[in-house]
Amino acid sequence: MFQPLAELPPPALGEREWLLECHCARPVTDLLKAQGWDVVADLDCNVHCSSPDRRVYVGLLPESQEAARGELWHIHVTDNSGTRTWRQTFGADTPAQAIAGFLAALIAFPARYCTCA
């Protein structure tokens, strides 16, 4: 019998399965494609994603110099003038599902300003 998530008891911490691995781009690219983003892979196996308004870039860059320093995933957000306002990187040890969750939260809050300010 199906129970809504809110009605399911939380698993005991010892029984919980935490995200440990998924190093392919699919959880991220599937999410972004479903939101209308452009997703392109280049000949070097890098994956480049752009939001519909071109203000957010997500890149999986395994062949970059940054990847050699541990920065595999790159997220850049720009303002209306094209100036980068903030960035976030994730290493190869971060599961792709966690990156997809980060991006899902970013997409879920489209307002520019925080309501607590």
Side-chain angles (χ1 to χ4, degrees):
M1 176 176 147
F2 174 77
Q3 291 181 318
L5 188 57
E7 294 179 19
L8 294 174
L13 283 179
E15 299 171 9
R16 174 138 170 91
E17 298 252 356
W18 296 98
L19 294 174
L20 295 178
E21 57 187 50
C22 178
H23 305 293
C24 71
R26 180 157 291 171
V28 173
T29 58
D30 286 352
L31 167 75
L32 298 180
K33 284 179 185 178
Q35 297 296 317
W37 292 44
D38 291 330
V39 177
V40 177
D42 66 22
L43 296 175
D44 291 327
C45 297
N46 297 308
V47 178
H48 308 275
C49 310
S50 296
S51 62
D53 64 0
R54 304 288 185 252
R55 293 188 46 216
V56 182
Y57 168 80
V58 176
L60 172 62
L61 310 174
E63 299 303 320
S64 68
Q65 292 178 350
E66 292 89 353
R69 294 190 308 262
E71 297 176 351
L72 184 64
W73 288 91
H74 298 256
I75 301 168
H76 303 166
V77 178
T78 61
D79 63 16
N80 288 332
S81 70
T83 302
R84 184 168 36 186
T85 57
W86 64 269
R87 66 186 290 268
Q88 177 64 51
T89 61
F90 294 96
D93 57 343
T94 305
Q97 298 98 321
I99 297 163
F102 176 87
L103 292 165
L106 178 66
I107 292 167
F109 293 93
R112 177 178 177 172
Y113 299 102
C114 178
T115 57
C116 63

